[in-house]
Amino acid sequence: MNEIKQYRCFIGILVLLVTSRTFAQSSDLKFMLLSQTDDFEQFKNMEQDNFYRKLKYSNLGDSAAISFGGNYRIQWEMLDNPMFQKEDGLDNNWFLSRGMFHADMRLSNRWQVFGELGTSHSVAKDMPSPVDEDRLHVNQLFGKYRTENYEIAIGRENFNYGSRRLIAIREGPNVRLSFDAIRFTYKWEQFSSEALLLSNVANEIGVLDNDFYAFDDYIWGSYNRFQNRKNTTKLELYYFGYRAEMENYASVNGEETRHSVGFRSDISLAGWKFNNEFVYQFGSINNQNIDAWTLSINGKYQISEHFDYEFNGEIISGDRNAGDGQLNTFNPLYPDAAYFGRVARIGPYNLIDLHTNVVYKNTQFTSELGYYAFWRYSNEDAVYSSGGRPIYLPVNDEKFVAHQLGLNIKYYWNSHFETDLESNMILPGNFIKAQGFSDNIYYILLTSKFTF
């Protein structure tokens, strides 16, 4: 049965690829990653008044309109030696599919009601998690009211904040991350300030079984943005409070209350674009104080019309002493799961990492070739998974964790179709080898996505 399902998924990928090529045509439509931010005017002004135009833009009166749309994504994924050792008897490749379908109603440029259903499935994957599979769920359902200076939104939403280091939509995995939210935003010229309360949605694998406003884990805080008139400088200052019923680290676990104060800047200077961020955290977990931080420096330089060079460096604190009554391990909360590529084997905890990348791009094609190097920040703390689980405990004093080589190729057939191929190889460093794990990790991901 699994072989039949694999065959059907493989045929589905080929159909999407062939269809992409067959129907590729010039189009000026632009679809955003978060569908609720799509520009209605581009659909209203479509030249052809056909069924698709009516689907994307239908008048509901003088000042109201509704739009329907979505996307469908099929992925083939191969992961070999996932824990730096060969594992017999486990399938090392599988298929994932995800469909998302939405309705977006807007009234007089002030009201927006947005709803989006998601359906995610896996085939031939051993023990799929709620990140891989959720048969039918409400991904988003919210109402928003705005004026020139104010905006209030209530309901379930996907979010990207800043550089997606603390709160992101989890686009790489098969099920996006949603929050049940209450947000109030004030805007004045180049400044905005947002007050927020977010309750994490815990995904279940079944049908419409995700609770609303459960408040098992939740975030509150304020996010403030400033942008100069020339768009050469963006500054962000934020505070997130976080409460979780259970967090697990190498040295302690229990109920956690953590406060994060962060500063981020986007600055353009002499051909470079810099994206730098610093976050300090304090709070408590199981009667221990929290004292943690992270610093990231990211730069991009345009070599020519088609080539960019990028470098990234981060220091992410880890616990210095398991017995001192203080936790120094940084908690990235809900970061982009593809923090170090979609292979996502090493998480942003107790880490020093360097990343250099060369990017080629034109109107339809993008390719990236990258190299990562990882060290432990503290010898007294573990190496963590992307989900925050300690997977390699501090049983030796070696610092170097791994090398990672990655290649990503993406082709945009037109506005509706895109194909993405990513490959990564991770080579274990002395810290991993000293624990008896010496095999390289190999990873390939082939994705085809249709958006309408």
Side-chain angles (χ1 to χ4, degrees):
M1 182 62 70
N2 276 343
E3 291 181 356
I4 295 175
K5 289 182 178 179
Q6 288 187 39
Y7 174 77
R8 288 175 178 172
C9 286
F10 182 68
I11 293 299
I13 290 178
L14 291 180
V15 168
L16 278 182
L17 291 173
V18 173
T19 305
S20 301
R21 184 64 179 269
T22 303
F23 291 95
Q25 56 185 339
S26 61
S27 174
D28 294 329
L29 294 178
K30 184 176 182 180
F31 298 98
M32 306 300 288
L33 182 61
L34 294 176
S35 298
Q36 63 265 37
T37 60
D38 281 346
D39 179 13
F40 261 34
E41 292 301 313
Q42 64 177 334
F43 307 127
K44 180 180 180 180
N45 298 326
M46 289 175 64
E47 293 182 2
Q48 295 180 331
D49 189 14
N50 52 22
F51 171 77
Y52 181 66
R53 190 267 186 185
K54 293 176 181 177
L55 180 73
K56 297 305 298 179
Y57 189 90
S58 296
N59 281 315
L60 299 178
D62 294 337
S63 58
I66 191 168
S67 176
F68 298 93
N71 62 77
Y72 187 75
R73 187 179 80 175
I74 294 178
Q75 295 181 316
W76 170 71
E77 195 169 16
M78 190 278 288
L79 179 62
D80 205 16
N81 309 328
M83 299 299 293
F84 295 104
Q85 64 176 346
K86 298 185 183 300
E87 297 183 6
D88 297 329
L90 291 177
D91 290 330
N92 68 343
N93 70 96
W94 51 83
F95 292 91
L96 301 169
S97 66
R98 184 183 78 186
M100 302 178 70
F101 310 97
H102 70 259
D104 188 354
M105 184 173 65
R106 304 184 191 182
L107 175 63
S108 67
N109 292 322
R110 293 192 173 227
W111 291 93
Q112 180 182 19
V113 178
F114 185 89
E116 184 174 57
L117 290 175
T119 176
S120 300
H121 300 268
S122 66
V123 175
K125 185 168 187 177
D126 295 304
M127 297 179 293
S129 73
V131 172
D132 301 311
E133 188 169 322
D134 193 341
R135 297 186 182 95
L136 183 64
H137 61 280
V138 177
N139 182 56
Q140 299 192 83
L141 181 60
F142 65 86
K144 182 186 294 183
Y145 175 78
R146 66 169 66 91
T147 66
E148 182 178 352
N149 298 111
Y150 298 95
E151 178 180 291
I152 185 168
I154 300 175
R156 178 166 294 181
E157 291 188 71
N158 299 146
F159 294 106
N160 278 323
Y161 281 99
S163 300
R164 309 178 189 179
R165 292 190 180 95
L166 293 180
I167 298 178
I169 65 173
R170 197 171 59 194
E171 177 63 8
N174 209 35
V175 182
R176 280 187 175 178
L177 175 64
S178 300
F179 291 92
D180 294 326
I182 301 172
R183 299 185 298 117
F184 178 80
T185 306
Y186 171 75
K187 299 179 181 180
W188 180 70
E189 295 184 353
Q190 272 62 54
F191 172 78
S192 70
S193 181
E194 179 177 334
L196 55 93
L197 176 62
L198 312 178
S199 172
N200 173 44
V201 177
N203 290 97
E204 303 290 344
I205 290 180
V207 175
L208 299 177
D209 53 357
N210 300 336
D211 293 334
F212 279 85
Y213 288 99
F215 284 102
D216 295 329
D217 301 338
Y218 57 92
I219 290 175
W220 67 94
S222 175
Y223 208 95
N224 306 278
R225 304 173 178 89
F226 170 80
Q227 178 175 311
N228 68 351
R229 296 184 184 275
K230 294 182 179 180
N231 292 333
T232 57
T233 301
K234 298 179 182 178
L235 304 176
E236 299 178 350
L237 178 65
Y238 57 85
Y239 160 75
F240 291 136
Y242 171 70
R243 188 266 182 188
E245 288 190 341
M246 178 61 66
E247 288 284 5
N248 294 282
Y249 303 93
S251 61
V252 65
N253 60 73
E255 183 177 310
E256 176 175 296
T257 300
R258 186 178 291 244
H259 308 275
S260 302
V261 179
F263 174 77
R264 191 177 80 88
S265 65
D266 281 337
I267 299 174
S268 298
L269 182 65
W272 286 88
K273 292 183 178 179
F274 292 99
N275 171 9
N276 305 322
E277 190 163 2
F278 175 77
V279 184
Y280 174 70
Q281 295 182 332
F282 60 96
S284 63
I285 176 172
N286 195 14
N287 297 319
Q288 291 194 24
N289 292 327
I290 294 172
D291 181 17
W293 60 277
T294 184
L295 172 66
S296 59
I297 298 174
N298 304 285
K300 177 189 290 188
Y301 183 78
Q302 185 172 354
I303 301 172
S304 66
E305 180 183 359
H306 297 296
F307 282 95
D308 291 337
Y309 170 74
E310 300 175 348
F311 78 89
N312 308 292
E314 289 184 290
I315 302 174
I316 306 169
S317 70
D319 199 29
R320 293 190 296 265
N321 187 336
D324 66 354
Q326 185 178 83
L327 178 67
N328 309 112
T329 308
F330 184 82
N331 184 346
L333 305 183
Y334 301 102
D336 188 345
Y339 211 86
F340 305 115
R342 283 188 283 185
V343 62
R345 304 312 298 168
I346 299 174
Y349 304 75
N350 185 39
L351 209 62
I352 299 173
D353 67 89
L354 294 176
H355 173 209
T356 185
N357 204 33
V358 177
V359 181
Y360 171 82
K361 61 183 184 300
N362 58 33
T363 55
Q364 287 189 283
F365 177 81
T366 301
S367 66
E368 300 181 16
L369 179 63
Y371 167 76
Y372 294 86
F374 303 101
W375 296 262
R376 285 191 297 160
Y377 172 83
S378 170
N379 285 359
E380 303 302 316
D381 205 348
V383 168
Y384 292 75
S385 70
S386 60
R389 181 170 58 89
I391 51 176
Y392 298 104
L393 296 178
V395 294
N396 62 66
D397 291 330
E398 297 290 344
K399 279 279 191 183
F400 191 66
V401 177
H403 304 272
Q404 180 175 327
L405 297 172
L407 174 65
N408 180 256
I409 299 172
K410 181 173 289 188
Y411 190 80
Y412 301 91
W413 303 94
N414 59 18
S415 294
H416 301 280
F417 296 95
E418 63 184 63
T419 302
D420 191 359
L421 175 66
E422 180 174 335
S423 177
N424 286 277
M425 179 173 64
I426 307 179
L427 294 77
N430 290 337
F431 173 71
I432 301 293
K433 289 180 179 179
Q435 301 190 41
F437 307 110
S438 57
D439 293 301
N440 298 336
I441 294 175
Y442 298 99
Y443 176 79
I444 299 175
L445 177 68
L446 175 63
T447 302
S448 194
K449 182 180 178 182
F450 167 61
T451 304
F452 66 93

